[in-house]
Amino acid sequence: MKIKDMLIMGHLEYSDTLDQSLEVKGITDNSNEIKPGYVFIAIKGYKKDGHIYIQQAITNGAILIIGENELMDLDVPYLKVKSARKALGQASKLFYRDPSKDKIMIGITGTNGKTTISFFIKHLLEKQGYSVSSIGTIYNEINGKKIHTINTTPNAKTINQLLVASTDQVVVMEVSSQGLEQDRLEGIQFDYAIFNNLQHDHLDYHNTMEEYFECKALLFQKIKPNGIAIINSDDSWGIKLIDRLTAEGKKVLTVGEKSSSDIQILSKELNDVLVMHKNKEYNLRTPLPGMHNLHNLSMSSCVAHELGVPYEKVESYMSDFTGISGRFELFHLENNVTVVVDYAHTPDALEIAINTAINNGANHVITVFGFAGNRDTSKRKAMLENVTRLSNSSILTVTELFGSTIDKLYTDYVLIQKECQVEDSTSIIMDRTLAIQKAIENAQSGDWVLLLGKGHEQYKENYALNTTSDQETVLYLQKNKLSTSGH
């Protein structure tokens, strides 16, 4: 790619030395990655402004700077753009030759269920013979190799790099609202876009549910001309999206309990969901417990069916599905106590997790959960009310501080405990590992202990037990405190 190919993105300033035939060797928004022949895109981040690294980028060999500020006296040409984030996506699409056009791209958005649907789709398609890459919350997997990930949705340059590296036929991608709002998917197009649900979350970032919805809806403007939107018609926001996309002339498939749904959910019971497609009934089964996972399977099977997976095959294909780290992950202790590690961190997700334990025969439910320090405080009361209404007992602990402090969070817990009048059924243990230890020690045969909020994530704080995650804490307690049969 030549520099001249990038000039359509903005207004070229300070260009006396510009040679439009110069070959672009690379594109980055990280000045530390700059090598001779690279283009540096200065992005205003939430903590740091990339414009302050422009001189470092020039020193390292940048041949063109792209940014949003007015800049004078640079030693290299400067292209001023309205949005540097969009420019990163547009430049990456050009530089990497639009790799999303050559893949079957599946994007999944929604408050809850993105990861599970992603894993279900990948499993079903691989059983059918497809090769599948995935980009998401737990890890990215390209050509069968797992790669550590920081964000659910990486930035546009990273996405394009992953797509170029992938030799797989299909790419399944979790798409976050922040990723959409921050233009991390600029230039990426999808064959299938899935909307699972919209629930109370991230309102510290989006302010209102309407703003949150509009960010999610951006995914559906990235559908390829012949692409399909697959939407949960049982969700009120899903209905709003269906109406909008139908009015725009986009192809929409609906999944839900309404008789008007293209894939109608007729019944759900434990691990089985009965669906109807084109007047024919099919039983689908998943090893993962929970009514929400039956819905997730219904959504996933719809996508897989569009790519040639017969509904008749779903049950057998799913029979060897081994589960997902931190998504209703089960540990069976020798004393007949069941421990669950799950990512649930919204009022609805907490309710679903606890009801799943109850529906699977829990004698008593002990729930360990907490609030994220400086994150969305507007959902806290509903979270606590749902947990205390459904659990036999619960322990408030640290999920993640996010810039708050242990003392501040403890004070918050005491206040909301009193406000909700749940002091008797809810205790506070701020050390998460000790909270888990206490819950397991208190559990009797037939009880379920739910460890909610962290899922697969590593601890960010130091705790009394030398463990790094909820899973590791459970295994440590099994080994050192309980004579158990293992995981």
Side-chain angles (χ1 to χ4, degrees):
M1 184 177 78
K2 310 288 187 186
I3 275 191
K4 66 180 180 181
D5 298 321
M6 307 185 71
L7 301 185
I8 58 169
M9 292 190 296
H11 173 62
L12 187 66
E13 299 181 354
Y14 326 125
S15 57
D16 293 342
T17 60
L18 179 64
D19 178 356
Q20 292 195 21
S21 66
L22 279 175
E23 190 75 27
V24 175
K25 301 291 180 62
I27 293 165
T28 184
D29 59 340
N30 183 343
S31 59
N32 293 318
E33 296 177 356
I34 291 289
K35 297 176 183 176
Y38 271 48
V39 172
F40 175 63
I41 302 179
I43 290 175
K44 293 180 179 179
Y46 293 91
K47 293 182 179 177
K48 292 183 179 178
D49 185 346
H51 291 79
I52 67 176
Y53 299 105
I54 286 175
Q55 198 54 56
Q56 179 187 339
I58 294 171
T59 301
N60 290 347
I63 56 172
L64 175 68
I65 306 296
I66 298 176
E68 298 173 10
N69 291 354
E70 298 285 348
L71 287 174
M72 300 293 291
D73 301 324
L74 296 182
D75 295 330
V76 299
Y78 178 73
L79 191 66
K80 186 184 176 190
V81 295
K82 274 189 175 181
S83 168
R85 290 181 185 276
K86 281 185 180 291
L88 180 64
Q90 293 161 2
S92 298
K93 181 177 180 178
L94 284 168
F95 183 79
Y96 293 104
R97 299 182 180 177
D98 192 11
S100 69
K101 77 178 188 301
D102 300 321
K103 303 286 185 187
I104 299 170
M105 297 290 298
I106 302 171
I108 307 155
T109 199
T111 306
N112 295 319
K114 293 187 295 296
T115 299
T116 300
I117 290 173
S118 171
F119 273 73
F120 282 176
I121 292 172
K122 187 174 190 293
H123 183 82
L124 289 169
L125 292 180
E126 286 177 339
K127 286 294 216 179
Q128 188 68 15
Y130 286 96
S131 58
V132 185
S133 290
S134 62
I135 300 172
T137 304
I138 299 179
Y139 53 75
N140 301 328
E141 185 171 346
I142 307 295
N143 307 328
K145 182 181 178 182
K146 293 175 183 176
I147 306 165
H148 175 70
T149 183
I150 298 171
N151 295 318
T152 295
T153 307
N155 72 14
K157 184 200 74 167
T158 302
I159 292 173
N160 278 280
Q161 286 176 322
L162 291 170
L163 295 182
V164 166
S166 171
T167 58
D168 295 322
Q169 298 159 286
V170 181
V171 177
V172 182
M173 185 185 303
E174 295 178 51
V175 180
S176 68
S177 55
Q178 290 100 324
L180 287 160
E181 194 272 337
Q182 294 170 16
D183 294 313
R184 293 186 219 155
L185 290 114
E186 179 69 24
I188 306 297
Q189 289 191 300
F190 294 88
D191 297 272
Y192 302 93
I194 302 164
F195 178 89
N196 197 35
N197 53 56
L198 195 75
Q199 297 169 1
H200 189 155
D201 200 17
H202 301 304
L203 295 194
D204 56 321
Y205 184 90
H206 294 295
N207 298 314
T208 67
M209 289 295 289
E210 286 74 19
E211 285 184 26
Y212 186 22
F213 169 76
E214 292 301 337
C215 282
K216 293 288 191 188
L218 291 172
L219 172 62
F220 299 86
Q221 302 308 311
K222 300 180 182 299
I223 297 177
K224 294 176 184 177
N226 296 318
I228 300 173
I230 295 171
I231 301 176
N232 174 12
S233 56
D234 293 335
D235 185 278
S236 60
W237 295 98
I239 293 169
K240 182 175 181 177
L241 186 59
I242 290 165
D243 291 343
R244 177 182 296 185
L245 297 179
T246 303
E248 292 174 359
K250 289 187 168 69
K251 184 176 181 182
V252 177
L253 289 177
T254 58
V255 180
E257 296 181 4
K258 296 181 177 66
S259 59
S260 58
S261 299
D262 296 300
I263 293 83
Q264 185 185 1
I265 297 172
L266 299 175
S267 65
K268 293 185 281 188
E269 184 176 352
L270 291 179
N271 293 76
D272 292 273
V273 56
L274 186 68
V275 302
M276 180 184 287
H277 179 246
K278 294 185 176 177
N279 296 316
K280 191 171 180 181
E281 294 182 6
Y282 303 93
N283 187 71
L284 314 178
R285 171 177 274 258
T286 170
L288 291 190
M291 296 297 167
H292 60 303
N293 283 321
L294 297 178
H295 170 80
N296 292 337
L297 181 60
S298 302
M299 297 289 288
S300 305
S301 299
C302 176
V303 182
H305 182 265
E306 289 298 308
L307 286 167
V309 176
Y311 278 109
E312 295 93 338
K313 294 277 191 181
V314 171
E315 184 172 341
S316 64
Y317 281 0
M318 290 299 295
S319 62
D320 62 353
F321 184 80
T322 55
I324 308 166
S325 175
R327 297 305 189 274
F328 220 84
E329 186 176 359
L330 297 173
F331 295 77
H332 300 290
L333 309 191
E334 193 176 65
N335 57 348
N336 197 32
V337 169
T338 300
V339 179
V340 175
V341 174
D342 193 73
Y343 192 53
H345 60 278
T346 67
D348 296 290
L350 291 168
E351 181 176 3
I352 287 167
I354 299 167
N355 275 329
T356 299
I358 294 169
N359 292 335
N360 279 270
N363 286 347
H364 294 89
V365 175
I366 304 168
T367 303
V368 178
F369 78 114
F371 307 138
N374 281 336
R375 294 293 176 91
D376 188 358
T377 59
S378 63
K379 66 180 180 180
R380 289 182 175 182
K381 187 176 180 184
M383 289 172 68
L384 183 58
E385 288 174 344
N386 283 357
V387 169
T388 53
R389 174 172 53 85
L390 295 167
S391 305
N392 298 95
S393 65
S394 57
I395 302 174
L396 276 164
T397 191
V398 173
T399 297
E400 192 168 331
L401 291 176
F402 284 115
S404 186
T405 64
I406 293 284
D407 290 343
K408 172 65 168 65
L409 199 55
Y410 178 80
T411 301
D412 292 346
Y413 285 171
V414 171
L415 290 173
I416 200 166
Q417 230 187 1
K418 289 179 179 176
E419 182 185 353
C420 295
Q421 299 180 331
V422 295
E423 296 98 324
D424 293 339
S425 60
T426 304
S427 57
I428 302 173
I429 302 175
M430 297 306 287
D431 186 300
R432 189 173 181 92
T433 61
L434 297 182
I436 293 169
Q437 182 177 32
K438 183 69 172 176
I440 291 175
E441 286 175 350
N442 287 347
Q444 304 295 314
S445 177
D447 292 351
W448 285 47
V449 176
L450 305 187
L451 312 179
L452 306 181
K454 289 298 289 182
H456 68 286
E457 292 181 342
Q458 299 279 294
Y459 296 152
K460 300 289 178 65
E461 287 73 39
N462 294 319
Y463 296 126
L465 302 184
N466 189 27
T467 55
T468 62
S469 66
D470 284 358
Q471 293 97 326
E472 195 177 311
T473 301
V474 175
L475 294 173
Y476 174 87
L477 292 169
Q478 283 181 308
K479 181 180 177 182
N480 294 281
K481 300 291 184 183
L482 304 167
S483 177
T484 64
S485 59
H487 177 204

